[in-house]
């Protein structure tokens, strides 16, 4: 590795973040983390199920699955679709050390959250769907932990004391090292073991459950059930993006 080159790049990055206000994607001038044209290039999840935010082609109230078997969480916030630029950014965070994309994505999610909770009633705690310790070892970090940290910082700036607390120890633990979800087909994902998480008590009565991407929804449903069993009375799901169904 060329250490000299790396350190120069890092120093430039720090300098750029501290002294220049530039868009994280195109490096153009902007007032915050992403310029408007870049924000407009992200796929908004406008047409989606009211409850689980499953992307649909038309404005719909509830998807078929929510009508027959509603998920256990209170509602889901998923402002983007997992496609195009959003998919590339999240992929880079996970696999190409693109940690600098965490800030713009969590900043955008925080804006959506502030609009959704405009009348107050914020969750007391923010908990996240963690990776298995072995995967954290492989990647060197847990991306949902890093994203939660940034999300809380962004929220604190705007809502101050109302901001949910992010516990130092996340009570949700992944206990089984399952195959990475992205490497499975939809059929395999639906079959993959659901009891691979556990929740330690105590937890707050109203919690937010964060994950970066929601695919079939089985992971957040499973975690939400465990949180409700562990004493939560309301679980709000917060994800950056939701994957559109291939079958539709
Ligand atoms: Zn831009
Ligand atoms: Zn639904």
């Amino acid at each position: 590795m060329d250490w000299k080159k790396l350190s120069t790049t890092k120093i430039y990055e720090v300098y750029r973040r501290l002294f220049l206000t530039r868009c994280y994607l195109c490096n153009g001038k902007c007032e915050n983390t992403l310029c408007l044209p870049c924000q407009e290039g992200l796929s908004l999840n406008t047409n989606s199920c009211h409850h689980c935010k499953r992307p649909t082609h038309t404005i719909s109230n509830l998807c078929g699955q929510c009508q027959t078997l509603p998920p256990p969480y209170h509602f889901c916030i998923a402002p983007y679709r997992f496609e195009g630029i959003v998919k590339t950014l999240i992929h880079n965070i996970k696999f190409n050390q693109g940690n600098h994309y965490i800030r713009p994505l969590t900043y955008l999610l925080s804006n959506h959250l502030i609009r959704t909770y405009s009348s107050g009633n914020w969750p007391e705690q923010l908990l996240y769907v963690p990776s298995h310790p072995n995967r954290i070892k492989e990647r060197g970090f847990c991306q949902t932990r890093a994203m939660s940290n940034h999300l809380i910082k962004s929220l604190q700036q705007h809502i101050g004391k109302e901001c949910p607390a992010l516990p130092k120890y996340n009570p949700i633990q992944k206990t089984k090292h399952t195959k990475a979800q992205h490497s499975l087909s939809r059929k395999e994902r639906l079959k993959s073991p659901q009891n691979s998480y556990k929740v330690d008590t105590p937890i707050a009565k109203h919690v937010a459950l964060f994950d970066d991407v929601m695919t079939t929804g089985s992971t957040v449903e499973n975690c939400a059930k465990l949180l409700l069993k562990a004493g939560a009375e309301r679980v709000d799901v917060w994800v950056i993006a939701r994957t559109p169904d291939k079958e539709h």
Side-chain angles (χ1 to χ4, degrees):
M1 185 182 284
D2 187 348
W3 291 101
K4 210 173 165 188
K5 197 175 160 203
L6 180 77
S7 59
T8 318
T9 320
K10 279 249 159 95
I11 289 166
Y12 173 71
E13 274 301 302
V14 172
Y15 173 82
R16 192 169 75 82
R17 304 275 158 75
L18 286 175
F19 303 109
L20 302 172
T21 315
R22 294 278 182 189
C23 171
Y24 272 67
L25 283 186
C26 69
N27 209 26
K29 276 187 186 171
C30 73
E31 284 183 17
N32 221 306
T33 49
L34 277 189
C35 71
L36 272 181
C38 280
Q39 282 190 38
E40 281 164 9
L42 310 176
S43 295
L44 277 170
N45 190 15
T46 315
N47 292 339
S48 56
C49 167
H50 219 61
H51 195 154
C52 73
K53 291 297 183 294
R54 183 185 308 282
T56 53
H57 293 301
T58 51
I59 298 168
S60 65
N61 277 332
L62 286 178
C63 71
Q65 283 193 31
C66 286
Q67 281 179 33
T68 46
L69 192 64
Y73 47 81
H74 189 72
F75 60 50
C76 170
I77 295 167
Y80 296 101
R81 290 187 178 189
F82 190 57
E83 59 189 20
I85 301 171
V86 176
K87 194 172 180 176
T88 310
L89 295 180
I90 292 177
H91 193 89
N92 274 310
I93 293 168
K94 280 187 183 173
F95 307 107
N96 300 326
Q97 300 183 319
N99 290 9
H100 46 285
Y101 294 131
I102 291 178
R103 193 167 159 228
L105 284 177
T106 50
Y107 164 77
L108 292 174
L109 175 59
S110 73
N111 283 348
H112 282 271
L113 292 170
I114 289 163
R115 280 201 291 275
T116 308
Y117 291 91
S118 57
S119 54
N121 205 15
W122 284 88
E124 298 152 71
Q125 275 183 332
L126 171 62
L127 312 177
Y128 57 90
V129 177
S131 307
H132 187 272
N134 290 359
R135 193 162 331 273
I136 297 173
K137 246 188 200 169
E138 267 166 38
R139 288 190 189 146
F141 76 113
C142 173
Q143 82 272 3
T144 43
R145 170 90 214 177
M147 288 172 173
S148 301
N149 280 332
H150 277 271
L151 185 59
I152 285 296
K153 271 186 208 159
S154 186
L155 286 174
Q156 259 164 357
Q157 284 173 4
H158 292 96
I159 59 168
K161 277 186 186 166
E162 278 190 287
C163 187
L166 177 65
K168 272 189 185 156
Y169 169 79
N170 185 44
I172 309 171
Q173 296 294 313
K174 189 158 192 199
T175 50
K176 275 188 197 155
H177 194 30
T178 45
K179 263 173 99 179
Q181 290 278 300
H182 67 270
S183 67
L184 303 177
S185 69
R186 181 175 155 78
K187 251 188 178 173
E188 284 176 315
R189 262 199 294 265
L190 288 170
K191 264 199 258 163
S192 93
Q194 294 307 296
N195 52 347
S196 47
Y197 294 88
K198 72 176 180 78
V199 171
D200 293 330
T201 49
I203 53 166
K205 294 262 177 273
H206 181 190
V207 297
L209 172 64
F210 171 78
D211 203 355
D212 49 359
V213 180
M214 185 168 167
T215 306
T216 60
S218 57
T219 301
V220 291
E221 277 189 34
N222 184 37
C223 289
K225 272 183 206 158
L226 292 174
L227 290 169
L228 292 165
K229 252 192 201 167
E233 286 169 7
R234 172 174 160 176
V235 179
D236 301 353
V237 171
W238 297 356
V239 298
I240 297 170
R242 176 109 215 223
T243 312
D245 283 346
K246 284 204 177 76
E247 288 86 340
H248 282 256

